[in-house]
Amino acid sequence: MEWETVIGLEVHVQLATKSKIFSGASTRFGAEPNTQACAIDLAMPGTLPVANEKAFRYAVMFGLATHAEIGQRSVFERKNYFYPDLPKGYQTTQLDEPIVGPGSVEIVLDDGTTKSIRIHHAHLEEDAGKSLHEDFHGMSGIDLNRAGTPLIEIVSEPDMSNAQEAVAYAKKLHSIVTSLGICDGEMSQGSMRFDVNISVRMKGEEALGTRTETKNLNSFKFMEEAIALEVERQIDILEAGGVITQETRLYNGDTKTARSMRSKEDANDYRYFPCPDLLPVILDDDYIDSIRAQLPELPDARQQRFISEYQLSEYDAAILSDNTQTAIFFEQAVVICQDAKLTANWIMGELSARLNAEEKNITDSPISPEQLANLIERIKDNTISSKMAKEVFNALWQREDKYGSVDAIIKAKGLKQVSDSSALEAMVDEVIANNEAQINNYRNATPDKRPKMLGYFVGQIMKASKGQANPKIINEILLKKLNQLINNT
Amino acid sequence: MKHDDINKLAHLARINISKDTIEDVTQSINNILTLVDQLQQVDTKGVLPMSHPLETPQPLRVDEVTEENCSKALQHNAPATENGLFLVPKVID
């Protein structure tokens, strides 16, 4: 039997406001427990919420960036349930009148084609606190610093048909919200969390299969793994003649296993009702238009600009434009060295490899855009070869030169490339004179074999020059001299 | 509404309704529902649903941190705390 998978995503995005959505407490990550939880966040009697304008502005920015209709009348509801990290006993959220209506984003598939993923809506809500279950003498510890942090929950249509598409969609949202500057995108700190709805059905079937929801995934990798695992589980059950139970599941990234959390029968009845403490928020056309006018450049538009402005390939442009910080780094370097292709290669190659290996963001790069640009300039003016450049790159990375100057490192390491042609000609002559047998072989070889044999001589010259000869010029001189030799006999 | 419905609601609201009072509570809630039924007979065609009795929009505040750390005072009447955390009976969902 052939099965097909249907996936929909609910994505929680923490908005990068300074204060909470309904109180003036700080949202800074990593503070001591409960030092950023004020009386409102703790649901002390008599407190009332006052809504944060920035949260609405950020939600509107997201809506405009995803071609969505903006809900000019935004109403808050109470979603009632009891859990220790939710002091009020309800989450303030939106239901019927969310701030962002239907929209869409484009994703690029592995074969290079694009697919549009529809967004059902996105609504504003508050985050809950955190429960810590370990080591409190059988009790749970509650930290309410996160309670009241503004979130948008982005609900997609079930438009994705495999893990790759789901990950591409999630990465696209990450790229959009970080480019907009409305979320810091720090997945490890829970700034973006994914709930994945998965069902399978036989190929050609119209009706959707029973779905499960795997909750609270906080990395693209875990999401991909969790989807693969759940799809396999569902197909196994169906092929054995079983039925899928509608349930909520939890994936454990450490053990690579998932377990059922609760089935539909004990699903909460949230008893939503409009929040009497909050009036409807009305956003007028002027407000929305002023936000539209200030929208920063989005990844798709930036990619197109990189292609037209810097003549980058679609692939290079996509990679460099995806992350705002990478794009800024790239453009700062290009302004100085004026070579987009080389800059792209160095950022996507050496720099990315080193950053990934040390799990660093580009904003933490020990090498600045200026330094990278200086390095590229020295490659371009033939001061150093690409191989030497890697050595300089390493020295910059290790901060060997306290001023971080590319030229100082080149000088200190004696890395100057020999491009002076009279010096190089002498080296070529010497190698030709010392390798009579190989020269004869070269002479007697058919022209199609010769380019390969040339490498031997270049190698000898590079060795003689201790790697400092300019290989490009060596090649030119060598070819010229060898041709002379052959023509003269 | 029957006793079962009331018991389910009571559980969701974490309210304890004793066997002695369940009949009373069921009767009272059913009385209220009768009133709601009556209200629902009013023709509301063309009337926008009202989400709040006050006809005014929500004022918004500027995004600034205005609250200082008052965790000591706020934890003063908590039954149990440790390392700044509130301690509660273990609940794992």
Side-chain angles (χ1 to χ4, degrees):
Chain A
M1 269 181 278
E2 220 181 321
W3 299 94
E4 66 183 11
T5 308
V6 179
I7 300 172
L9 250 61
E10 288 164 26
V11 183
H12 289 92
V13 175
Q14 280 186 346
L15 298 177
T17 54
K18 288 195 202 92
S19 65
K20 294 187 177 172
I21 183 166
F22 299 124
S23 85
S26 172
T27 56
R28 191 172 58 89
F29 181 83
E32 290 296 311
N34 292 311
T35 54
Q36 292 173 177
C38 70
I40 294 173
D41 307 325
L42 261 55
M44 289 292 175
T47 56
L48 283 171
V50 186
N52 182 345
E53 184 271 337
K54 204 53 149 309
F56 292 83
R57 175 175 295 270
Y58 283 175
V60 169
M61 284 170 77
F62 176 78
L64 295 174
T66 50
H67 326 290
E69 206 172 294
I70 304 302
Q72 293 190 274
R73 185 185 138 93
S74 221
V75 173
F76 286 94
E77 309 263 341
R78 290 184 176 182
K79 178 181 176 178
N80 298 279
Y81 65 95
F82 281 102
Y83 204 67
D85 56 25
L86 188 77
K88 286 185 297 192
Y90 58 84
Q91 180 191 32
T92 306
T93 179
Q94 300 190 293
L95 186 67
D96 291 329
E97 296 178 82
I99 185 155
V100 177
S104 67
V105 297
E106 301 269 307
I107 59 167
V108 181
L109 306 180
D110 285 344
D111 63 3
T113 57
T114 58
K115 179 173 177 177
S116 179
I117 305 295
R118 291 168 300 154
I119 292 172
H120 180 272
H121 77 273
H123 61 258
L124 268 171
E125 61 185 25
E126 59 182 342
D127 211 341
K130 272 185 193 163
S131 302
L132 305 159
H133 299 299
E134 50 298 299
D135 207 23
F136 295 105
H137 346 284
M139 309 273 278
S140 289
I142 306 293
D143 175 8
L144 295 168
N145 279 349
R146 196 179 68 178
T149 296
L151 297 175
I152 44 172
E153 178 175 335
I154 305 158
V155 181
S156 85
E157 297 285 356
D159 283 354
M160 289 148 279
S161 44
N162 55 50
Q164 290 71 36
E165 288 183 18
V167 170
Y169 167 74
K171 285 189 172 168
K172 192 54 178 277
L173 289 185
H174 184 270
S175 171
I176 290 171
V177 297
T178 52
S179 295
L180 289 171
I182 63 173
C183 172
D184 65 16
E186 295 292 348
M187 315 269 293
S188 61
Q189 299 177 2
S191 295
M192 263 182 107
R193 311 192 294 268
F194 308 101
D195 299 344
V196 191
N197 288 293
I198 305 169
S199 66
V200 298
R201 64 180 168 195
M202 273 171 52
K203 204 147 200 172
E205 192 87 21
E206 284 258 322
L208 291 169
T210 304
R211 66 157 196 263
T212 64
E213 182 179 23
T214 304
K215 271 189 125 51
N216 240 338
L217 299 160
N218 68 351
S219 84
F220 300 128
K221 188 167 148 267
F222 288 166
M223 192 167 107
E224 194 164 1
E225 291 170 357
I227 292 172
L229 191 71
E230 178 58 12
V231 169
E232 200 183 297
R233 190 188 72 90
Q234 291 191 12
I235 291 175
D236 282 350
I237 291 175
L238 293 171
E239 291 196 334
V243 285
I244 305 298
T245 319
Q246 188 174 337
E247 63 186 358
T248 306
R249 299 180 63 81
L250 267 189
Y251 177 74
N252 183 327
D254 296 327
T255 57
K256 315 272 177 231
T257 55
R259 64 171 173 90
S260 174
M261 200 164 103
R262 64 176 110 82
S263 70
K264 198 194 172 190
E265 280 78 64
D266 5 282
N268 285 316
D269 175 350
Y270 292 122
R271 296 151 291 140
Y272 281 93
F273 64 89
C275 181
D277 287 348
L278 286 159
L279 294 150
V281 174
I282 309 297
L283 307 174
D284 61 24
D285 288 334
D286 287 349
Y287 179 79
I288 294 166
D289 287 343
S290 76
I291 295 174
R292 196 193 313 272
Q294 291 169 39
L295 271 191
E297 188 179 38
L298 285 160
D300 288 348
R302 188 156 53 212
Q303 184 191 357
Q304 289 315 311
R305 182 168 65 80
F306 279 10
I307 293 171
S308 59
E309 197 172 325
Y310 300 115
Q311 283 80 49
L312 292 182
S313 71
E314 197 148 316
Y315 177 80
D316 290 1
I319 290 189
L320 292 169
S321 60
D322 201 36
N323 176 306
T324 305
Q325 296 309 323
T326 309
I328 291 172
F329 194 105
F330 167 76
E331 292 206 274
Q332 285 178 344
V334 172
V335 163
I336 300 168
C337 72
Q338 297 293 324
D339 192 321
K341 182 62 194 157
L342 260 184
T343 308
N345 289 350
W346 274 88
I347 292 175
M348 288 157 53
E350 207 67 16
L351 186 65
S352 295
R354 291 301 285 267
L355 291 170
N356 286 340
E358 298 187 17
E359 291 182 5
K360 283 191 162 108
N361 289 321
I362 197 158
T363 40
D364 309 319
S365 167
I367 298 181
S368 68
E370 293 75 20
Q371 288 171 319
L372 185 67
N374 291 151
L375 184 67
I376 289 166
E377 283 177 319
R378 292 297 159 264
I379 302 169
K380 282 178 62 183
D381 67 13
N382 283 322
T383 306
I384 51 172
S385 65
S386 325
K387 206 176 147 208
M388 293 171 185
K390 282 191 181 155
E391 211 174 308
V392 179
F393 183 94
N394 277 335
L396 286 170
W397 188 276
Q398 314 284 0
R399 299 182 192 272
E400 278 179 26
D401 179 82
K402 64 174 172 178
Y403 304 109
S405 151
V406 169
D407 289 335
I409 291 171
I410 292 173
K411 203 172 161 203
K413 289 192 167 290
L415 282 176
K416 252 189 165 54
Q417 176 169 247
V418 180
S419 299
D420 168 31
S421 51
S422 61
L424 292 175
E425 271 190 49
M427 288 186 206
V428 173
D429 286 339
E430 202 181 317
V431 168
I432 290 177
N434 292 339
N435 290 281
E436 211 173 316
Q438 281 81 359
I439 294 291
N440 277 330
N441 286 345
Y442 183 86
R443 199 198 319 262
N444 297 331
T446 52
D448 61 312
K449 296 261 164 60
R450 282 177 185 160
K452 230 179 174 175
M453 301 172 78
L454 203 65
Y456 171 78
F457 301 113
V458 175
Q460 292 297 308
I461 297 159
M462 290 307 288
K463 211 166 131 192
S465 74
K466 295 190 179 73
Q468 297 194 349
N470 180 332
K472 206 174 138 214
I473 303 180
I474 288 285
N475 255 309
E476 283 165 16
I477 298 172
L478 189 64
L479 258 181
K480 193 179 79 194
K481 297 229 174 220
L482 287 173
N483 284 337
Q484 275 170 7
L485 266 177
I486 293 164
N487 294 337
N488 290 345
T489 47
Chain B
M1 275 197 151
K2 307 218 164 61
H3 287 189
D4 282 354
D5 301 317
I6 300 296
N7 279 328
K8 192 179 169 221
L9 271 181
H11 172 71
L12 284 170
R14 302 296 189 272
I15 296 171
N16 189 21
I17 298 175
S18 69
K19 281 202 178 110
D20 303 341
T21 52
I22 183 114
E23 181 49 41
D24 251 12
V25 174
T26 308
Q27 188 59 50
S28 305
I29 290 189
N30 277 328
N31 284 345
I32 295 170
L33 288 176
T34 312
L35 179 71
V36 173
D37 273 345
Q38 235 173 329
L39 281 172
Q40 278 183 333
Q41 285 164 18
V42 179
D43 180 8
T44 55
K45 214 189 282 170
V47 180
L48 278 180
M50 186 170 70
S51 51
H52 202 281
L54 299 180
E55 293 277 333
T56 175
Q58 171 72 31
L60 301 176
R61 83 184 149 78
V62 177
D63 180 28
E64 271 168 9
V65 175
T66 52
E67 299 292 326
E68 288 170 15
N69 172 19
C70 303
S71 59
K72 272 226 170 73
L74 290 169
Q75 295 198 336
H76 191 67
N77 61 352
T81 58
E82 188 173 314
N83 300 332
L85 295 160
F86 293 99
L87 292 190
V88 300
K90 197 160 195 161
V91 188
I92 294 186
D93 194 359

